[in-house]
Amino acid sequence: MINKGDFLESPAMRSSGAATGTRTTMRASSISTTTIPRTRTTTSASTDPTISRFSHEHAHVKPTIIGRKSPGETPKARHCAKPETAAGLTSAAAGCGTKSTFYKLTSLDNLYQYWLKAKKNKSKSLRVQRFGDDPLRYLVMIQNRLRDRDYTFGPYKSFTVREKKFRHVVDAPMKDRVVHWMLYDYLLPIWQPRFIHDTFGNLPGRGTHAAVGRLAQFCRSAESTWVLQLDISKYFYSVNHEILKSRALRFVGDHSLRMLMIALIDSFRTDTQYDDLFPADSLYRMTEEKGMPIGNLSSQLFANIFLNDFDHWVKEVLRVKRYIRYVDDMVVLASSKAELVAIRDLIVQKLALDGLAIHPKKIRLAPVEVGTPFLGYIVFPNHISAGKYVRGRYLHRLRQHERDGYDKTEALAAYSSMFKHTGSTIYKELA
């Protein structure tokens, strides 16, 4: 664990090259095996442009004003127009002295905050500890490559985890996780107001329990007698790159950020391991540029951005009142079975235009009163129960803790928190 004081007093900052202005090279260590030439000047205090903000905060040196001076302190030749006269200038002149969004996002102050978010709850990871030994060294290299437009994502590592089923997960290096947080923090305020109210998953305040609570509200409605559940087959691996770029870049004006996002999307491509699940003439098989790594924070946001137009189509064109989407799981409630069958067919056709397919074995159409399994819970009109899988895992951890001598205190506490969201909902009002 480091604090900001340790961060500023990093060995990389105390190097002789920073003090003498000599040309030095720093090995990229775990980030890369290439070297980055750096040249530092020796003006007042620390004037390395990569740590200029820290310099102004800690050097306490008054900056000099470039240009000829009159007998007073005001420079005779002004480099920037006054605010009241800037309106009549060209865009380049009016923007004199301003910094681009990309430049601000890649300041060391901001990169350090993204690093703190990336390492949260991961202090036991060896690579997090290695990065944390000297974060300034790594963050400066990340900053240099970002600002030189020479940043590359990857390489990715893949592995399989077994939860309720076997899941193929793609793991990004630590340097990429810092950049993922930078893009996430930039894109989230742009996109969150544009998502419909009932889009859940990987969004602040819209997690698992919020989605289950919303479904419970819908189930209590007198008009909700039938429920339709759909699941997109291999959603993350099916996302078309060109469509994703056109949607994700829609409200991004900074050219450097646009190029970085394009590089991120193109850094991963789905291989052929899931081809057998799709027909030979399907868009999945016919499209090579597709797929997002499941483990990336950015992919979780891109997953919601990609289906945002679809969500608005369901609400505004189909006029579906009770619709919930949690990443690739969709739930629709209505008063009749025939209405849901018609909605299902329209949804299948709409998603096919984007190269997505509904899993044929994960289409469920049933009465609401028998219970709706959703995100580990079973939602009934008047109460919420823990699902069979959750109950089984809880009992397994309990036996390990009490009988086999394993310390499962944290796991049992997590399950206890889940059970707090179960119980009667009959007294809760529909929002």
Side-chain angles (χ1 to χ4, degrees), residues 380-394:
F380 295 89
N382 295 329
H383 72 280
I384 300 173
S385 299
K388 180 180 178 180
Y389 176 77
V390 173
R391 296 196 306 269
R393 297 295 294 175
Y394 170 73

Side-chain angles (χ1 to χ4, degrees), residues 235-236 292 298-307 325 327:
Y235 173 48
F236 279 83
M292 301 184 299
S298 55
S299 298
Q300 298 170 8
L301 182 58
F302 286 156
N304 284 325
I305 293 174
F306 190 84
L307 286 177
R325 181 176 64 81
V327 190

